[in-house]
Amino acid sequence: HAARWLEEASAQGTQVLEQTFFLEAMTTEVVFAAHKALAISSDLGSLRRDLAGNLFTLREAQSKIRYKAISEIISPDPGLIPLQTARLPEEVRSRYLQVPDLDPRIAALAKDVTRAIPHPFNKARRLETYLRTGYAYSLELQGTPNSRDPLAMFLFDIRRGHCEYFASAMTVMLRQIGIPARLVNGFRAGEYNRIGDVFTVRQYDAHSWV
């Protein structure tokens, strides 16, 4: 089946990536694959997909598994992003523009940082640059442990934190200025082994991004 998928994709001019995963026993049912997954080998059995396009296996947890995945490698074109979010599907706007009850300074900061920039993609890049240059990465958390608003603590008080703080802050700030966004948890590429032409991905490679 994998060969057939690759042949059909190549014939259509689609850029695809074939991956083989050797997964240690984990408690998650998530199926790891590059986005956008076109096909998963039958080793995983039945699959389900949620509204965000994430894949999950119904196999028994805590067991090792080997499987293949074929993904279409997509390079988004910023020029296709609409200037007005009203043109986006309602299910996207209703799901990815939700914001909890937060410190009002967060919305004010997001608007101030992006005020002079018209295009939503460039607004997102401006927020990314702002967080990259104005804040420090640290695994040593400081501040009030039971703070009612940890994002405000991160943005206005300690100005340092790990990836979840950065990703959560950017996701919320984007939503505050009307740009749909979601936080993603997963793993970075890990350590590359040239001899075996493989990536070894460990637990400490876990990461959060937007």
Side-chain angles (χ1 to χ4, degrees), residues 158-173:
I158 62 176
R159 301 181 69 87
R160 61 192 300 115
H162 52 63
C163 59
E164 290 187 351
Y165 277 96
F166 281 87
S168 297
M170 184 170 175
T171 300
V172 166
M173 293 172 78

Side-chain angles (χ1 to χ4, degrees), residues 166-196:
F166 281 87
S168 297
M170 184 170 175
T171 300
V172 166
M173 293 172 78
L174 285 170
R175 293 186 180 193
Q176 294 275 22
I177 57 175
I179 299 176
R182 69 184 179 103
L183 185 145
V184 180
N185 293 316
F187 292 90
R188 293 175 295 180
E191 179 183 347
Y192 180 63
N193 184 321
R194 294 187 179 183
I195 297 177

Side-chain angles (χ1 to χ4, degrees), residues 85-100:
T85 57
R87 293 176 53 191
L88 296 172
E90 176 57 32
E91 59 268 25
V92 171
R93 297 175 66 251
S94 62
R95 186 178 181 87
Y96 299 119
L97 285 176
Q98 298 181 51
V99 289

Side-chain angles (χ1 to χ4, degrees), residues 14-169:
T14 303
Q15 185 178 359
V16 295
L17 174 68
E18 182 178 4
Q19 310 132 77
T20 300
F21 290 86
F22 298 89
L23 193 65
E24 293 290 341
M26 297 181 67
T27 57
T28 181
E29 296 178 340
V30 172
V31 175
F32 298 98
H35 185 74
K36 175 183 178 182
L38 300 177
I40 305 292
S41 63
S42 58
D43 305 81
L44 290 178
S46 299
L47 301 175
R48 63 182 177 86
R49 187 193 301 269
D50 66 12
L51 294 177
N54 302 307
L55 292 171
F56 301 87
T57 176
L58 301 180
R59 70 179 179 87
E60 182 179 354
Q62 297 286 13
S63 60
K64 296 183 179 182
I65 190 68
R66 175 185 182 275
Y67 66 93
K68 289 182 177 290
I70 297 176
S71 303
E72 178 183 3
I73 307 303
I74 301 173
S75 298
D77 180 1
L80 298 178
I81 299 176
L83 286 173
Q84 303 297 327
T85 57
R87 293 176 53 191
L88 296 172
E90 176 57 32
E91 59 268 25
V92 171
R93 297 175 66 251
S94 62
R95 186 178 181 87
Y96 299 119
L97 285 176
Q98 298 181 51
V99 289
D101 183 19
L102 296 169
D103 188 316
R105 292 180 298 169
I106 298 177
L109 177 62
K111 294 174 183 176
D112 183 60
V113 170
T114 62
R115 191 181 310 280
I117 304 173
H119 197 283
F121 179 78
N122 294 330
K123 285 179 181 288
R125 294 302 296 268
R126 178 68 184 92
L127 275 178
E128 179 188 32
T129 300
Y130 176 81
L131 291 171
R132 280 181 179 273
T133 57
Y135 296 81
Y137 182 86
S138 175
L139 293 176
E140 297 180 6
L141 303 183
Q142 303 176 7
T144 306
N146 297 316
S147 172
R148 179 179 177 273
D149 196 333
L151 280 186
M153 181 181 69
F154 166 68
L155 289 170
F156 304 109
D157 299 328
I158 62 176
R159 301 181 69 87
R160 61 192 300 115
H162 52 63
C163 59
E164 290 187 351
Y165 277 96
F166 281 87
S168 297

